[in-house]
Amino acid sequence: MTTRDDSRRLMMAALDGEINPDQRRQLDRLLADNPDLRDEWERMGRVKEVTSSMAYREPPEEIWQEYWVSVYNRCERGVGWLLMTLSTVILLSWSAWQVIAAMFADSAMPLFLKLAVLGVAVGAIILLVSVAREKWFVRRKDPYREVIR
Amino acid sequence: MAVEICESDADLIRRAQDGDRAAFGFLVERYMKRAYYSALGLVGSPEDARDLSQDAFARAYRARQTIDPDRPFFAWLYQIVRRLCFNFNRDRRSRREKLRDASLWLAEEAEARAPAPGPSRVLEKSELCRTVRQAIEELPEREREVLVLKEFEGLRYREIAELVGIPIGTVMSRLYTARKHLAAALSRTVTVRQGEESGR
């Protein structure tokens, strides 16, 4: 018993030259018995004829000459961006620490302002740790991480 | 140089993992065309295909320590290429950009090989090719991917199944659905053409 899926797969295999003699005989029988399938087979044949006459447009040859250089530059710039980002984070954190320490050392500054600054700093740290922990957890446990979203 | 290019992928990967950038360069030169054309089939724009395929190699270089030298390099790279391309298409759709015209990346190659047909036949053939190109642009990306790998890269079902990570039966089903869509587009064009001819 041949299902509709089977007959479709046989047609595809025949069009693409990936059919064996037994399957070919099976397909021929199906085509002889089923006019609808024969119509579909003819339509698919026309599609194959048109797509077989098409090919990728070739890009200019210069693309291949400059290709590796572009990839190399990207690799190099990736390292540059990473270093710059890390260094910026360190510098900003250190500057923020210096500013906060200076504010707390200043006896003329009102207490509520010191508490507000402390609140901002602690809040930012909690947010940062929370987001980092969530990202790390999702990265480890997400069963769909291989699924392209 | 020639000796190094003859090296196996596995040897080049091991050298790249030891910090030899030139070895990675040889891998890039070996697979750049396949990566470019794979991306081209998925995004349909030569500039974007070049950009995305180069980005895929740069990412591969950064992740080179995770490559298993004993497994096919291109199959691993292809996963990065297709992921970048699918994400690119998703962003492009979300920005409501129009898809590119497929005539930018697909050409009729058989013209040079086939015996010269009459002018009306050439016109008809061009019209059919244009119809099919447009229909390919409208295919869902999973079906388009399989169709492009089969028709324009000439891969066998087993190779497509390995690259895309699906069973061979699914490859054939996706091909069937894609071709059915193209067949419907062709039938519409042929019907319109016949209507025009009978009206004359």
Side-chain angles (χ1 to χ4, degrees):
Chain A
M1 172 96 182
T2 309
T3 65
R4 182 174 286 193
D5 274 350
D6 291 336
S7 57
R8 289 170 176 174
R9 286 175 186 177
L10 285 172
M11 281 196 294
M12 292 303 104
L15 282 177
D16 293 319
E18 298 204 28
I19 196 166
N20 64 39
D22 283 345
Q23 290 172 323
R24 181 75 231 194
R25 277 191 289 276
Q26 195 184 352
L27 177 63
D28 288 341
R29 274 198 305 274
L30 288 168
L31 290 174
D33 295 344
N34 188 336
D36 289 341
L37 193 68
R38 215 160 41 236
D39 285 347
E40 190 168 30
W41 168 245
E42 280 170 17
R43 285 198 300 274
M44 292 289 183
R46 277 199 295 274
V47 169
K48 179 74 183 175
E49 190 188 333
V50 175
T51 51
S52 297
S53 72
M54 295 158 79
Y56 286 130
R57 272 188 197 284
E58 291 196 15
E61 196 56 33
E62 299 85 68
I63 280 191
W64 309 125
Q65 288 157 11
E66 296 159 6
Y67 198 92
W68 164 233
V69 177
S70 297
V71 173
Y72 184 86
N73 288 340
R74 280 165 196 259
C75 297
E76 211 169 49
R77 282 171 204 160
V79 174
W81 275 111
L82 186 71
L83 278 174
M84 206 175 82
T85 309
L86 274 177
S87 307
T88 306
V89 167
I90 291 169
L91 284 174
L92 286 176
S93 305
W94 182 80
S95 307
W97 173 251
Q98 290 297 313
V99 168
I100 291 169
M103 284 174 77
F104 274 84
D106 183 1
S107 56
M109 181 174 254
L111 181 63
F112 76 91
L113 276 183
K114 290 181 180 177
L115 288 174
V117 170
L118 189 68
V120 169
V122 172
I125 291 169
I126 290 172
L127 284 176
L128 200 70
V129 170
S130 173
V131 169
R133 192 182 54 196
E134 188 187 356
K135 291 265 179 202
W136 182 74
F137 183 79
V138 167
R139 196 180 163 84
R140 283 190 60 209
K141 305 274 182 186
D142 183 9
Y144 304 109
R145 64 186 164 195
E146 295 304 323
V147 176
I148 298 155
R149 295 169 207 277
Chain B
M1 182 76 95
V3 173
E4 286 179 300
I5 288 176
C6 289
E7 270 187 84
S8 68
D9 287 1
D11 288 341
L12 290 173
I13 291 168
R14 287 193 187 93
R15 278 175 52 196
Q17 286 173 334
D18 291 338
D20 184 347
R21 283 195 181 190
F24 191 76
F26 289 128
L27 275 175
V28 171
E29 283 171 5
R30 188 171 289 173
Y31 290 109
M32 61 188 179
K33 290 191 178 181
R34 277 191 79 183
Y36 168 82
Y37 285 121
S38 298
L40 185 62
L42 291 172
V43 298
S45 146
E47 297 81 24
D48 295 329
R50 185 181 58 187
D51 198 44
L52 290 163
S53 62
Q54 288 177 343
D55 197 14
F57 276 114
R59 283 167 189 250
Y61 182 74
R62 285 200 287 274
R64 64 193 179 280
Q65 298 301 339
T66 64
I67 308 175
D68 181 353
D70 298 320
R71 300 189 71 180
F73 173 72
F74 186 75
W76 182 81
L77 180 77
Y78 183 78
Q79 298 308 315
I80 304 177
V81 172
R82 75 194 291 259
R83 192 172 296 235
L84 286 174
C85 291
F86 285 158
N87 288 344
F88 175 83
N89 285 338
R90 184 198 58 197
D91 293 345
R92 186 161 63 177
R93 272 200 295 275
S94 65
R95 289 201 306 271
R96 292 180 181 277
E97 273 186 31
K98 277 180 130 182
L99 285 177
R100 309 297 172 115
D101 180 0
S103 60
L104 286 173
W105 61 280
L106 278 177
E108 293 164 47
E109 67 157 8
E111 285 165 4
R113 294 191 309 228
S120 65
R121 176 88 180 110
V122 169
L123 198 67
E124 184 190 346
K125 181 104 189 310
S126 295
E127 198 177 341
L128 294 181
C129 282
R130 196 165 53 244
T131 302
V132 167
R133 281 200 296 249
Q134 194 170 346
I136 290 173
E137 286 295 318
E138 289 164 5
L139 286 175
E141 57 191 7
R142 306 293 164 127
E143 287 158 19
R144 173 173 155 154
E145 177 184 32
V146 171
L147 182 85
V148 159
L149 288 171
K150 179 73 226 170
E151 293 293 350
F152 308 126
E153 298 192 29
L155 299 187
R156 298 187 67 79
Y157 290 159
R158 184 182 48 75
E159 294 169 311
I160 297 173
E162 279 171 12
L163 272 187
V164 181
I166 53 176
I168 287 180
T170 310
V171 172
M172 296 163 94
S173 303
R174 286 187 189 175
L175 263 178
Y176 170 80
T177 315
R179 283 175 172 152
K180 193 177 172 191
H181 183 89
L182 302 190
L186 268 185
S187 297
R188 281 196 297 273
T189 303
V190 170
T191 309
V192 168
R193 197 175 170 79
Q194 283 169 345
E196 284 170 357
E197 280 172 3
S198 63
R200 277 180 209 151

